[in-house]
């Protein structure tokens, strides 16, 4: 049976502002620790004979996360002829911002120097894994952490580095949408409307990298080869009656 615990602090704020503008924001600090996510079902999920040596951050742990959103019913236009009002009135804009820290990962040796047959030996640390901040995306993708700071574990050992020792790239995303409903004077059904929506996911087209390959013996060691989805634009019309 494995050991796990979770601690968190959540703060939220909601504000009903003037002119149809509403804000909602929240921040969560959390710390999840366990021996292994599979430890409750599979003893081979442990990297060493001593489960306490595998105690560390959960693989899905996110230390800090901020989410903010707004909904704004744009005010009515006070100028111009009727056609201007017909075009510019009754619009609604929405936005969601999410910022969060990266998820942890272990630096593995990639060889079974412990002869345990599990194949989860962790690497030995011989230097500082940190690299300078504010590097380009290309530099981060080529070497996310200082790969020279680790080496294969010594024969007969399970590796010196703790489980989920390093943290991966953070995540930033801003989604935005514009909505307008047009009344359709068709027949006697005045309730008929045509709704137009323009939506953008990851509006800033921010590159959100996945965790790097962190196995010393791998040819891709230290590199990042995948990322989350880029900017997506979509438009829709919906007829309501």
């Amino acid at each position: 049976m494995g050991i796990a615990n979770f601690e968190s602090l959540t703060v939220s704020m909601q504000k009903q502002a003037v002119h149809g503008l509403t804000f909602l924001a929240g921040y969560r600090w959390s710390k999840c620790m366990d021996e292994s996510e599979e430890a409750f079902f599979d003893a081979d999920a442990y990297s060493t004979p001593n489960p306490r040596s595998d105690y560390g951050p959960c693989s899905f742990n996110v230390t800090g996360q901020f989410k903010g959103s707004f909904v704004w019913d744009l005010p009515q236009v006070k100028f111009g002829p009727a056609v201007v009002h017909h075009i510019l009135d009754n619009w609604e804009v929405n936005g969601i911002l999410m910022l969060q820290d990266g998820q942890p990962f272990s630096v593995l040796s990639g060889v079974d120097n412990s002869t345990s047959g599990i194949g989860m030996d962790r690497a030995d640390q011989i230097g500082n894994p940190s690299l300078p901040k504010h590097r380009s995306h290309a530099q981060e993708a080529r070497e996310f952490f200082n790969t020279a700071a680790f080496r294969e574990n010594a024969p007969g050992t399970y590796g010196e580095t703790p489980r989920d020792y390093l943290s991966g790239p953070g995540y930033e995303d801003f989604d935005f949408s514009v909505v307008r409903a047009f009344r359709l004077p068709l027949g006697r059904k005045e309730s008929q409307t045509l709704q137009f929506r323009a939506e953008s996911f990851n509006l800033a087209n921010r590159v959100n990298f996945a965790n790097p390959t962190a196995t010393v013996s791998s040819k891709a060691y230290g590199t990042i080869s995948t990322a989350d989805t880029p900017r997506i634009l979509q438009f829709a019309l919906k007829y309501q009656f």
Side-chain angles (χ1 to χ4, degrees), residues 7-232:
E7 299 175 347
S8 70
L9 172 66
T10 303
V11 179
S12 62
M13 179 185 69
Q14 183 172 358
K15 176 65 175 179
Q16 182 72 46
V18 296
H19 304 301
L21 181 61
T22 301
F23 291 99
L24 177 62
Y27 176 79
R28 186 196 69 187
W29 173 90
S30 64
K31 184 177 182 181
C32 177
M33 302 286 288
D34 63 13
E35 296 170 356
S36 172
E37 277 75 65
E38 294 82 22
F40 297 95
F41 311 101
D42 183 4
D44 288 340
Y46 292 110
S47 302
T48 71
N50 181 9
R52 283 290 185 179
S53 299
D54 291 319
Y55 185 72
C58 304
S59 62
F60 52 84
N61 181 68
V62 174
T63 303
Q65 182 184 76
F66 170 84
K67 287 186 178 181
S69 64
F70 71 90
V71 177
W72 189 14
D73 291 321
L74 296 180
Q76 301 292 312
V77 175
K78 302 293 185 181
F79 59 87
V83 65
V84 174
H85 290 254
H86 186 70
I87 296 174
L88 299 181
D89 284 349
N90 302 317
W91 286 93
E92 177 187 295
V93 295
N94 308 273
I96 301 175
L97 173 67
M98 184 167 74
L99 309 172
Q100 69 177 35
D101 295 329
Q103 294 180 319
F105 62 92
S106 300
V107 183
L108 302 179
S109 176
V111 291
D112 189 20
N113 282 339
S114 65
T115 66
S116 63
I118 298 176
M120 295 292 289
D121 291 5
R122 291 189 287 269
D124 288 344
Q125 184 175 352
I126 56 175
N128 184 358
S130 300
L131 289 175
K133 297 181 179 180
H134 308 298
R135 296 181 299 144
S136 68
H137 288 149
Q139 290 173 322
E140 289 185 345
R142 284 195 300 268
E143 186 177 23
F144 182 72
F145 59 93
N146 180 18
T147 55
F150 301 93
R151 67 182 178 188
E152 295 178 358
N153 58 313
T157 69
Y158 293 90
E160 297 176 349
T161 57
R163 172 174 159 264
D164 287 342
Y165 178 56
L166 299 180
S167 293
Y171 182 89
E172 299 178 10
D173 178 74
F174 179 63
D175 300 333
F176 183 77
S177 67
V178 180
V179 184
R180 167 74 189 273
F182 299 88
R183 289 182 178 273
L184 299 178
L186 301 177
R188 298 180 179 179
K189 297 182 178 180
E190 295 297 333
S191 62
Q192 294 182 80
T193 58
L194 184 66
Q195 185 189 75
F196 167 77
R197 301 183 65 91
E199 299 174 320
S200 175
F201 303 94
N202 191 8
L203 178 64
N205 204 27
R206 203 261 188 188
V207 179
N208 289 305
F209 285 127
N211 279 353
T213 300
T215 302
V216 175
S217 62
S218 171
K219 293 182 179 180
Y221 174 49
T223 66
I224 298 176
S225 58
T226 58
D228 209 335
T229 53
R231 181 193 295 122
I232 297 176

